[in-house]
């Protein structure tokens, strides 16, 4: 089994493997192109996003300082916004719904490493997908860890570290992020 097959099967993989590393290097070039694109040229920015991401709905926006380690595993819905210096480590799939805003300096990661120092010396990584629902606002400086699913109509308070799944219609915050209160879903009343 190749390292990419191990990765795709959710098994431990060698993150220094030539094929795995090729994905990262491709993403570096795509991020460089996106970050150098004139932000006032919305069509060029959108084209760079579509070239880098696996898929994107209408009107995606990604501000400078964006980084990822694959790109093709990122799937975003309509009116997606990633503010300055967002990093998405998408060695596994990252699925993001419609009307999602991600604050500056936020990390979404699908990558983890073993607790065993012996395995870490062998450059082993572990990957679990991340799913984010519709109408989610992730505040600045947040971290979303591997395997997390965030529901619809969720606000993640600035600086939070999300270590486990978050249900629909709530505000979470803290380290680790905890439920703070419910939020009304007023989308049925129109935009």
């Amino acid at each position: 089994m190749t390292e990419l097959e191990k990765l795709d099967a959710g098994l431990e993989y060698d993150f220094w493997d030539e094929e795995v590393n090729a994905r990262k290097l491709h993403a570096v070039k795509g991020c460089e192109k996106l970050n150098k694109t004139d932000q006032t040229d919305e069509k060029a920015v959108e084209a760079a996003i579509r070239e880098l991401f696996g898929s994107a709905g209408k009107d995606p926006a990604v501000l400078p300082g964006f980084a990822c380690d694959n790109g093709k595993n990122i799937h975003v819905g309509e009116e997606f916004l990633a503010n300055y210096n967002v990093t998405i480590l998408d060695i596994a799939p990252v699925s993001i719904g419609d009307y999602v805003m991600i604050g500056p300096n936020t990390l979404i990661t699908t990558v983890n490493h073993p607790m065993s120092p012996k395995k870490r010396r062998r450059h082993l990584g572990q990957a679990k997908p991340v799913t984010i629902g519709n109408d989610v606002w992730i505040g600045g400086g947040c971290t979303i860890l591997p395997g997390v699913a965030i529901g619809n109509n969720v606000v993640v308070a600035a600086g939070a570290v999300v270590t486990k799944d978050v249900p629909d219609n709530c505000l979470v915050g803290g380290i680790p992020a905890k439920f703070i209160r419910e939020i009304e879903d007023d989308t049925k009343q129109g935009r």
Side-chain angles (χ1 to χ4, degrees):
M1 181 177 271
T2 70
E3 295 306 306
L4 284 179
E5 289 170 334
K6 289 178 188 176
L7 169 62
D8 293 338
L11 303 173
E12 290 181 334
Y13 63 95
D14 180 350
F15 61 82
W16 278 5
D17 175 75
E18 190 174 311
E19 289 180 298
V20 173
N21 199 48
R23 287 183 179 183
K24 293 177 191 173
L25 294 176
H26 180 267
V28 166
K29 290 180 182 179
C31 290
E32 184 177 282
K33 178 179 179 179
L34 173 60
N35 290 321
K36 287 184 176 180
T37 301
D38 178 358
Q39 286 292 306
T40 63
D41 186 346
E42 293 176 7
K43 289 185 183 202
V45 170
E46 184 171 336
I49 293 167
R50 293 188 186 286
E51 187 177 322
L52 179 60
F53 287 10
S55 63
K58 76 174 176 88
D59 299 328
V62 176
L63 295 175
F66 181 79
C68 64
D69 65 356
N70 185 343
K72 294 303 178 192
N73 275 337
I74 300 171
H75 303 277
V76 301
E78 295 186 4
E79 297 186 30
F80 170 76
L81 169 64
N83 212 317
Y84 296 98
N85 302 315
V86 167
T87 299
I88 301 177
L89 300 181
D90 64 312
I91 201 74
V94 175
S95 301
I96 300 174
D98 297 334
Y99 313 110
V100 173
M101 300 183 301
I102 301 175
N105 302 308
T106 288
L107 167 65
I108 298 171
T109 181
T110 64
V111 180
N112 205 347
H113 299 283
M115 294 299 289
S116 160
K118 186 175 180 180
K119 288 183 175 187
R120 290 193 307 269
R121 286 182 181 189
R122 291 183 16 227
H123 314 122
L124 294 182
Q126 303 163 329
K128 293 183 182 175
V130 170
T131 303
I132 298 170
N134 298 322
D135 300 299
V136 174
W137 172 25
I138 299 172
C142 291
T143 301
I144 313 298
L145 293 180
V148 166
I150 296 175
N152 297 313
N153 187 34
V154 170
V155 175
V156 179
V161 177
V162 182
T163 61
K164 61 184 180 178
D165 292 354
V166 177
D168 293 347
N169 304 312
C170 69
L171 166 67
V172 297
I175 303 173
K178 293 185 171 73
F179 175 88
I180 295 173
R181 67 179 175 88
E182 289 185 12
I183 297 174
E184 177 188 358
D185 180 356
D186 59 6
T187 59
K188 296 180 186 25
Q189 300 166 4
R191 236 173 161 200

